[in-house]
């Protein structure tokens, strides 16, 4: 019964998105991400008011009213045309497949570190219809952000009860919604859409560095690393596909809001996305017959609205947690010394510039430099290898795209992404010094978990830009771009397939899949 109910829910949601797409003439693949994220934002606002139990009713009512209104306005012919969007059909088919798979296999919360945070939080939210931090006897507010719990709550089919497999399936459906905008291509580009969608689906495995032969838990865990990566890349893909239209541009606000409340670093990721969107507005978007001052002013105003949404979510969450659990651990401080974020950034920048640099900071700085070259974060090696792969994607997109704005977008996408990655890398260097113990900082604890999400999202955006460039190009450049897209997707698939084959010295292959190894 749970399988049927969930499938009906997915079809109802997909039908609403389809009707909106038919009326607005957006590609239907662009609607699931802002719709799901908007629903999570509604749940967030209701939870702040203590009304989370009414969330499902309000969201269903909005979906139904919007679907009927836009469907009647669009008409049957427009709906039928909108249906044959490659990215949308891939999303619907993949979502239904994941729901049935998880319902049959019933994966459980196992093989996690930090289980008490990422596993218990969505359970508490579902059973108590309140944010997890409202329970004063459990984990502190500063450790658990609400995005994954709210998405899980949206897909729990029985109010007041919690099913682990429904939590995992709901998060994975959100992942597919993040990948779908990258595959939002015309019907004639089915092959390219399938390649981009498949590459996006396999990217989390590509950035997994567990030993060969070990069952993967990428799509069967509720930790925030994969949502962080895919929301980061998916929002950029949504902007690339729909940002040229005003409503499409501001649709990015909902994914940015959810990205902000995914993890503590999500605030920085959301601001990075806003910055990259601003760069694209200035240098990658055509502005015929418009004065530079006006271009700058309009771009700044539009991006300021997105930044305001990010700040509103960040500030509201901090104030809520401070009000609900007013303890010392919920304050806006870093490390055992209790320094403010401003003091940490100021001190870190001074030490980066060599002003009063301590020996331990210099050691961590050296370790971070070596880690960029040698520490494995993906299946082809260290971060420098991942950045090289991303550079190849954007280079192929530059060659395949027609001259003008399309090529400028590829340059902005890589140069801006590289600049932000360098800033984020230095930010983590500062955190290792101020926010970790001496032993943890020297060992660069959880380095892969902190660095890989950015690279993964950036690479997803690279596939998106390459796919769109191939669709826009012509002649020999387009054929070369198609070949590059096919080779890149095949390389990800091939490395993923190779990863599943035990290599010499990798240890014994598990004889049975654990419940958490559904995918």
């Amino acid at each position: 019964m749970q399988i049927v109910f969930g499938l009906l829910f997915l079809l109802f949601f997909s039908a609403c998105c389809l009707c909106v797409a038919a009326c607005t003439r957006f590609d239907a693949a662009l609607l699931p991400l802002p719709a799901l994220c908007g629903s999570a934002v509604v749940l967030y606002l209701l939870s702040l008011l203590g009304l989370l139990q009414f969330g499902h009713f309000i969201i269903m009512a909005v979906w139904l009213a919007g679907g009927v209104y836009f469907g009647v306005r669009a008409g049957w012919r427009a709906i039928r045309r909108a249906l044959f969007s490659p990215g949308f059909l891939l999303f619907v088919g993949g979502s239904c497949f994941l729901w049935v798979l998880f319902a049959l296999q019933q994966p459980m919360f196992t093989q996690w570190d930090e289980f008490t945070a990422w596993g218990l939080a969505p359970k508490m939210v579902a059973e108590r219809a309140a944010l997890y931090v409202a329970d004063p006897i459990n984990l502190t507010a500063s450790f658990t952000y609400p995005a994954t719990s709210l998405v899980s709550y949206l897909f729990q089919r029985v109010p007041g009860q919690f099913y682990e497999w429904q939590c995992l399936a709901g998060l994975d459906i959100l992942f597919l919604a993040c990948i779908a905008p990258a595959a939002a291509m015309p019907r004639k580009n089915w092959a390219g859409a399938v390649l981009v969608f498949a590459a996006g689906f396999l990217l989390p495995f590509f950035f997994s560095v567990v030993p060969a032969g070990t069952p993967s838990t990428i799509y069967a865990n509720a930790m925030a690393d994969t949502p962080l990566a895919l929301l980061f890349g998916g929002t950029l893909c949504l902007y690339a596909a729909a940002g040229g239209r005003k409503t499409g541009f501001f649709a990015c606000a909902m994914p940015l809001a959810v990205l902000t409340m995914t993890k503590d670093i999500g605030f920085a990721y959301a601001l990075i996305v806003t910055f990259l969107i601003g760069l694209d507005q200035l240098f990658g978007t055509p502005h015929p017959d418009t004065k530079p001052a006006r271009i700058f002013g309009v771009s700044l105003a539009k991006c300021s609205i997105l930044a305001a949404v990010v700040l509103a979510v960040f500030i509201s969450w901090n104030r809520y947690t401070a009000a609900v659990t007013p303890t010392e651990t919920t304050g806006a401080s870093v490390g055992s010394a209790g320094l403010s974020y401003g003091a940490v950034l100021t001190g870190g920048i001074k030490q980066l510039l060599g002003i009063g640099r301590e020996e331990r900071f210099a050691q961590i700085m050296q370790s971070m430099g070596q880690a960029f070259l040698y520490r494995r974060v993906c299946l082809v090696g260290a971060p420098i290898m991942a950045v090289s792969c991303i550079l190849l994607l954007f280079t192929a997109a530059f060659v395949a795209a027609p001259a003008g704005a399309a090529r400028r977008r590829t340059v902005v996408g890589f140069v801006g992404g590289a600049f932000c990655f360098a800033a984020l890398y230095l930010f983590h260097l500062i955190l290792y010094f101020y926010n970790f113990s001496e032993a943890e900082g020297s060992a660069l604890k959880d380095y892969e978990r902190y660095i890989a999400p950015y690279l993964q999202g950036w690479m997803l955006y690279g596939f998106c830009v390459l796919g769109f460039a191939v669709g826009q190009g012509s002649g020999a450049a387009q054929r070369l771009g198609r070949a590059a897209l096919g080779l890149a997707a095949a390389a990800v698939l091939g490395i993923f397939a190779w990863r599943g084959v035990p290599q010499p010295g990798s240890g014994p292959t598990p004889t049975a899949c654990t419940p958490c190894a559904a995918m």
Side-chain angles (χ1 to χ4, degrees), residues 208-282:
S208 174
V209 291
V210 297
T214 303
S216 174
T217 59
I218 290 293
Y219 282 92
N221 77 84
M223 293 180 68
D225 301 311
T226 305
L228 181 73
L230 291 179
L231 281 167
F232 171 62
T235 307
L236 288 172
C237 294
L238 178 63
Y239 166 75
R245 296 170 59 176
K246 185 180 297 184
T247 50
F249 180 91
F250 292 113
C252 297
M254 293 298 100
L256 283 174
V258 176
L259 176 60
T260 304
M261 53 183 174
T262 298
K263 203 176 179 182
D264 48 1
I265 198 66
F267 175 63
Y269 273 72
L271 291 181
I272 288 173
V273 173
T274 304
F275 175 74
L276 293 176
I277 289 175
L279 284 182
D280 187 83
Q281 284 285 304
L282 287 174

Side-chain angles (χ1 to χ4, degrees), residues 381-444:
I384 189 172
M385 298 301 297
V387 173
S388 299
C389 293
I390 295 169
L391 174 60
L392 290 176
L393 287 175
F394 279 96
T395 302
F398 181 86
V399 173
R407 286 191 170 179
R408 290 198 303 270
R409 168 165 286 177
T410 64
V411 174
V412 171
F414 181 79
V415 175
F419 172 80
C420 292
F421 176 69
L424 189 71
Y425 202 81
L426 294 177
F427 177 71
H428 280 95
L429 188 160
I430 295 171
L431 285 184
Y432 273 122
F433 178 78
Y434 286 101
N435 200 37
F436 286 79
S437 67
E438 184 172 348
E440 292 174 339
S442 300
L444 302 185

